[in-house]
Amino acid sequence: MIRVLLADDEELVRVAVAALLGLEPDIEVVAQAAEGRAAVDAALAHRPDVAVVDLEMPGLDGIGVAAELTRALPACAVVVLTGHGRPGHLRQALTAGARGFLPKGSPGGALADVIRRVHTGGRYVDPSLAADALTLPACPLTPRELETLRLAEFGAPVAVIARRVHLSTGTVRNHLSAAVQKLGAADRTEAVRTARDNGWL
């Protein structure tokens, strides 16, 4: 039996997926979680073979769960499910250690097939997302611009960012302004969103 953990903050989705997987003769759902931190705790407690995690969950998202499980429980293969995956998310998930990336709109039996594949050491990436990811442009930002944009994501004032990166406030403003301009964004918030959607943050 392939022991599976399911993590999704939407209870209806989680219960439905568990019911579908329960029909498979070689798959057993051993634990469920409604948010990312609980998913990691449940995985450490139940030691599943495969963790199926939603991309967007409260607290720790699916990419964060993949990263933690890859580090703490490397024998557990992670499959990330998403309702609206972007190529940048795919890149981030694979970098974090996920072995599968699947849209929630996939055919019913697809998830069971992906679980079997990653359990035997394989990988699965949705073909349309993979094709989109291959055509993503390279990041136009310098490492310093990315770093300051990352710190600005949660609304940190320029002075705080400057202290963290050991730069003057003027230099930080220049980096943020350059990032906004290079990404064709209207402001920092839009620049952060663009960078995140493309998998650069």
Side-chain angles (χ1 to χ4, degrees), residues 149-156 196:
L149 195 60
R150 186 176 290 110
L151 291 170
E153 179 175 11
F154 302 105
R196 187 153 299 287

Side-chain angles (χ1 to χ4, degrees), residues 5-10 14 32-44 51-69 78:
L5 160 75
L6 287 179
D8 195 310
D9 60 320
E10 295 180 52
R14 192 176 67 247
Q32 296 185 38
E35 54 93 22
R37 182 55 54 198
V40 173
D41 293 342
L44 294 174
V52 177
V53 301
D54 186 23
L55 176 67
E56 294 182 1
M57 292 185 288
L60 196 63
D61 66 8
I63 292 168
V65 172
E68 289 213 16
L69 292 184
V78 179

Side-chain angles (χ1 to χ4, degrees), residues 8 10 20 29 38 40 44 53 64 90 118 132 137 142 162 172 179:
D8 195 310
E10 295 180 52
L20 280 173
V29 176
V40 173
L44 294 174
V53 301
L90 168 60
V118 301
D132 289 345
T142 67
V172 168

Side-chain angles (χ1 to χ4, degrees), residues 39-169:
V40 173
D41 293 342
L44 294 174
H46 293 274
R47 306 265 170 187
D49 301 307
V50 177
V52 177
V53 301
D54 186 23
L55 176 67
E56 294 182 1
M57 292 185 288
L60 196 63
D61 66 8
I63 292 168
V65 172
E68 289 213 16
L69 292 184
T70 298
R71 189 169 46 252
L73 199 62
C76 177
V78 179
V79 175
V80 175
L81 284 182
T82 177
H84 41 77
R86 296 185 179 97
H89 293 144
L90 168 60
R91 183 182 296 168
Q92 290 173 332
L94 295 178
T95 300
R99 300 198 60 82
F101 197 87
L102 186 69
K104 285 184 178 178
S106 299
L111 179 57
D113 292 340
V114 170
I115 288 171
R116 292 183 187 102
R117 183 182 297 193
V118 301
H119 177 58
T120 58
R123 290 182 179 271
Y124 179 83
V125 173
D126 176 69
S128 62
L129 281 175
D132 289 345
L134 289 173
T135 60
L136 272 181
C139 179
L141 306 181
T142 67
R144 275 295 198 188
E145 290 164 353
L146 272 175
E147 183 180 20
T148 54
L149 195 60
R150 186 176 290 110
L151 291 170
E153 179 175 11
F154 302 105
V158 170
V160 172
I161 296 171
R163 279 196 301 275
R164 286 195 185 159
V165 296
H166 308 291
L167 295 172
S168 71
T169 55

